[in-house]
Structures are given as structure tokens and as C-alpha cells.
Amino acid sequence: MIRDFFKHRIKEVVGAYCDGKKIFVVDLRLQKSEPDVAQIVENDEIVDVEYVFEAARPIDRWTVVDADQSAVEAPDADDLMLRAEAIAEKISVVCSTHGWSTAVTTFCLNGSDAVIELDDLSNVPPTEIDGAVRYRVAAAGNFDIDNFLAAYVALDGRTWMEGIEKKSAQIWIDAFRKNDLGLTVLTAQPDGFDVVDEINLNGIELSEGLSKALFAARVAALQTAPNFLADDLKRINGWDFRKFAAAVAAITLIGLSTMFGLDRWQYTRASEALTVEKNALDGLERDRRMMMFIEREREELDGRRRLLAALSKETFPWRSVLIHFGAFHVKGVWLNEIGSAEDQAVELQCEAVSYEAMSEFIKALEADEFFRHEPQIKNSSAARDGSTVKFTVRLPML
């Protein structure tokens, strides 16, 4: 397992995942616990004293502060660059809306975006694990041996191995960097991995998409594996003696060359001014993206209003029907589509979490005085995975 990705301890991580239709984002933060306090009597006065034993102090805990899931316009699935840029832009908008820090951003790939292998490597010596993983992933993905990234993690006695082409990983890095997102983890979630371990959910219920987003954030927060960017991060954050020697030489040269001090000062002032201007332009660019996002949402809302106005002009009482069902709710049931038949009847395409919820929905329609006749169930069927029940209800208006 690869560890120690980060030189400095981080306190906030944003994790994200996209299933093709929705963006799932979680904000994970390190919550510091207050030290335990004991009361003792000293000179007849009660004094509060912090515990001095480390074992008595509460530990800090990574906590899910907030989560968001919202729809995203699905770009061309075959064009990775367009898809990565659309996803990164949506993540940036979500983080800006919530006020989350994007200095440490992580992303969980779909299984189709990476080569994934699972095997028992317990007989392989520890010093040869890296080579065995690269050989196995290269063979599975038909990768050129020098042009792909590999990552792995031990799970339940076996080794979960992943691989991705370097050019694909660079596309994701460039897309996130373009949207001011500090991408530090690029990974894929192993099946059966417990993302809740060592994480406080703070009462937030995880869907499958949020679970994958939390997994990516967890890799950065707990500095675990797998992470395709781990080697680059270790190289960036590690101690580089050559850079240190170059810095010492530069300082010595500056000390001996005081005649150039004024030029250096002017250069520094110019660099600072350029940085200020760049930050201002970056802020304007973020504002522009936010305005474009709001404008798209407004245009969509206006389209829905125009559609409602057009429906209201028809002889069929669409406005009354839509307003009625806007306030008609039954727990565990939602409407996917509302239509009409030639005999002035309303047809509802519905979906329920169970047959019991469907039954409660039918009972509620029978007791509803808005329709003169009893509802009729045209058809019903369970989803392939058995998670929901789809059914059609016919409601005569005359």
C-alpha cells in the first residue's frame, strides 16, 4: 500500500464522481476534538486542568461536512477531453456555490475509464509487488510498458490493481487545473471497500455515487491507496537534494552579487503585481462561468414556464392537473411522466420503492376528490435489480 503522499497535513478534501448523468461531490474535513478537561481541587478552589496523558485525549476525526449531487449535461462519451472538461467545470461550480476549498480535489473514475484487475499476490515478495502489478496491468490493458500509470491496494487477502494510460490521466489533470481544481487523487473504487471506516458521515446518507466520491476523498484524507498520481506527488513533496543545493548556490550568489539587489527588488515587485492581476482575472473567469451556469438554468426554467402556459391554453385542464399533482405526495412514490388519452383520461407513469408504497399511492388516488372515477392500474413491473416497481395508472376525467 502506497502512503505518505502529502508533505503537509491537509484539513479539507473535496471528493467527486460522475456516473454519466449526475455529479456527486462531498466535502470532507478534519474536525479537531477539544481535549478532555478534569476538575481538581487546589487551595480549596476548583481548577480545570487538561489531561496530560496522550491516551486520554480524543482523536481528530475526518467528517463529511456536506454533500451535493446534481445533473450534468452528458458530453460525447467518446471524447474524453470534452467529457473531462465538462465534469471539472461542474465540480468547480458546485464547490464555488457551497464555498468549499478546491486546493485538494480528488476524483473517482468509472470502471470503463480504467483497467481493473483483482488477483492473489500473497506469494509475491514485497520487493517485487510493484513489478508484478505493472506486468499484470500492462497485459490486461495492452499498454505500452512506459506509457501508463498503475496503482494497487491490498483488500481481503487479495490485491486490487488499476491502470490508466498516461495521456488519459493528463487529460483529467489538465481539465481540473483549467478549472482551478487541485487534483491530487485520481482513482477507481475497489468493489467491497468500506469507505465509512475511520470516517464520520455526520448523519449524511450515502448513495452509490456519493460513496464513490467519498472513497476518492478518503484516499487523500487518510493518505491511502490506490492513487494513480501517487508517484508524482511523492516526487513533488519529497526531499530533493539537487534542488536544495541549487537553492543554496543561488542564495550565495545573491549575497555576493549585491550590485544586482535593486534589480531583484524591482523584479519581485513586478512579479507580485502580475500575480495580483492574474488572481483578479481568475476571479473574473470563475464569475463568468457562474453567470453562464445561472443563465442556462434560467433558460431551462423559462422553457418550462412557456410549456406550462401553452398547455394551459388547451381544452384539456392541464394547468389544474399539473398544479394538483405538484402538491400530491405519497412517500416512496414519484411520477416520471404525465400524459393524456383520447378519452379525456390522465395517464401517470410512476415508480415506487415497493409494492406497498404503490398500494398506498392507489389508495390516496381513490380518496382524492379531484377525479370523479376510481384509478385503473394498466400495468406494473419490477425493475431488473428489484430496487423499484414501475407502474401506469389511468385516471378518467369525465
Side-chain angles (χ1 to χ4, degrees):
M1 181 180 296
I2 304 173
R3 293 186 178 272
D4 300 324
F5 298 159
F6 306 98
K7 185 177 182 180
H8 303 289
R9 194 177 188 188
I10 57 177
K11 298 180 180 179
E12 183 177 3
V13 180
V14 168
Y17 169 76
C18 179
D19 63 1
K21 297 181 180 178
K22 285 186 176 182
I23 291 286
F24 303 86
V25 188
V26 298
D27 185 37
L28 191 63
R29 300 187 191 180
L30 185 63
Q31 301 288 346
K32 286 189 170 294
S33 302
E34 294 297 331
D36 289 342
V37 175
Q39 289 187 336
I40 63 174
V41 177
E42 183 176 301
N43 297 328
D44 298 328
E45 293 184 359
I46 297 179
V47 181
D48 290 340
V49 180
E50 292 185 3
Y51 286 139
V52 296
F53 297 104
E54 194 67 26
R57 294 182 181 272
I59 61 174
D60 298 339
R61 187 78 180 273
W62 283 97
T63 302
V64 180
V65 175
D66 201 358
D68 184 281
Q69 53 184 11
S70 52
V72 62
E73 295 182 7
D76 186 359
D78 295 329
D79 193 329
L80 179 59
M81 182 176 296
L82 290 179
R83 180 156 54 93
E85 290 182 355
I87 291 172
E89 181 179 1
K90 183 68 174 182
I91 295 172
S92 178
V93 171
V94 171
C95 293
S96 298
T97 303
H98 288 276
W100 297 341
S101 170
T102 57
V104 181
T105 308
T106 64
F107 187 71
C108 183
L109 297 168
N110 274 315
S112 58
D113 289 327
V115 172
I116 299 174
E117 289 289 301
L118 186 64
D119 200 358
D120 183 3
L121 300 182
S122 58
N123 294 327
V124 179
T127 56
E128 298 179 11
I129 287 290
D130 290 345
V133 169
R134 288 193 62 82
Y135 176 82
R136 179 65 182 272
V137 172
N142 195 24
F143 293 137
D144 183 278
I145 195 65
D146 295 322
N147 294 317
F148 77 98
L149 301 176
Y152 66 94
V153 63
L155 181 63
D156 297 331
R158 293 185 293 176
T159 302
W160 183 275
M161 297 168 282
E162 303 173 356
I164 186 174
E165 286 186 331
K166 285 185 178 180
K167 63 179 181 180
S168 298
Q170 192 61 48
I171 288 175
W172 288 105
I173 294 171
D174 293 342
F176 275 65
R177 183 181 300 157
K178 182 178 179 181
N179 288 274
D180 298 323
L181 302 175
L183 184 64
T184 54
V185 169
L186 187 64
T187 185
Q189 182 182 3
D191 293 334
F193 198 101
D194 183 11
V195 298
V196 182
D197 183 31
E198 300 183 62
I199 301 295
N200 178 18
L201 294 183
N202 198 23
I204 295 178
E205 185 175 354
L206 293 181
S207 62
E208 181 179 356
L210 288 177
S211 176
K212 291 182 180 293
L214 178 58
F215 172 76
R218 183 183 186 277
V219 170
L222 302 182
Q223 301 181 21
T224 58
N227 180 11
F228 291 120
L229 310 182
D231 291 337
D232 288 339
L233 289 171
K234 288 175 67 178
R235 184 164 52 254
I236 292 172
N237 293 321
W239 181 271
D240 193 331
F241 179 79
R242 289 175 296 178
K243 291 183 179 179
F244 174 74
V248 172
I251 294 173
T252 304
L253 182 60
I254 291 173
L256 296 176
S257 307
T258 54
M259 65 179 66
F260 299 107
L262 180 60
D263 291 339
R264 173 63 62 183
W265 177 78
Q266 292 176 342
Y267 173 79
T268 302
R269 290 291 300 272
S271 297
E272 291 175 351
L274 180 61
T275 300
V276 171
E277 291 294 330
K278 182 180 182 301
N279 291 338
L281 291 175
D282 290 344
L284 291 174
E285 177 63 18
R286 286 193 293 270
D287 292 341
R288 184 189 68 81
R289 289 199 299 269
M290 179 63 73
M291 291 180 62
M292 292 178 60
F293 175 77
I294 294 174
E295 182 64 21
R296 288 198 297 267
E297 295 291 329
R298 186 188 64 79
E299 290 177 357
E300 182 179 353
L301 182 58
D302 289 343
R304 293 179 180 176
R305 289 174 177 170
R306 289 194 295 270
L307 177 60
L308 179 59
L311 292 174
S312 300
K313 296 178 182 179
E314 302 292 338
T315 57
F316 194 88
W318 275 114
R319 182 180 180 85
S320 298
V321 171
L322 293 175
I323 292 176
H324 179 73
F325 279 108
F328 187 88
H329 301 286
V330 174
K331 186 176 181 181
V333 180
W334 60 92
L335 301 180
N336 293 330
E337 183 178 343
I338 301 178
S340 64
E342 296 180 356
D343 57 349
Q344 296 292 300
V346 176
E347 289 190 358
L348 307 178
Q349 303 290 336
C350 308
E351 196 165 351
V353 297
S354 64
Y355 282 100
E356 289 78 9
M358 182 184 76
S359 177
E360 292 297 326
F361 182 78
I362 298 301
K363 290 180 181 178
L365 289 176
E366 291 174 348
D368 188 3
E369 298 179 356
F370 185 84
F371 299 96
R372 301 180 181 179
H373 303 281
E374 293 186 355
Q376 304 169 0
I377 301 179
K378 294 185 64 176
N379 57 67
S380 64
S381 62
R384 291 184 176 180
D385 58 1
S387 60
T388 60
V389 178
K390 294 184 179 180
F391 60 97
T392 303
V393 180
R394 184 176 181 276
L395 298 167
M397 295 290 292
L398 302 177

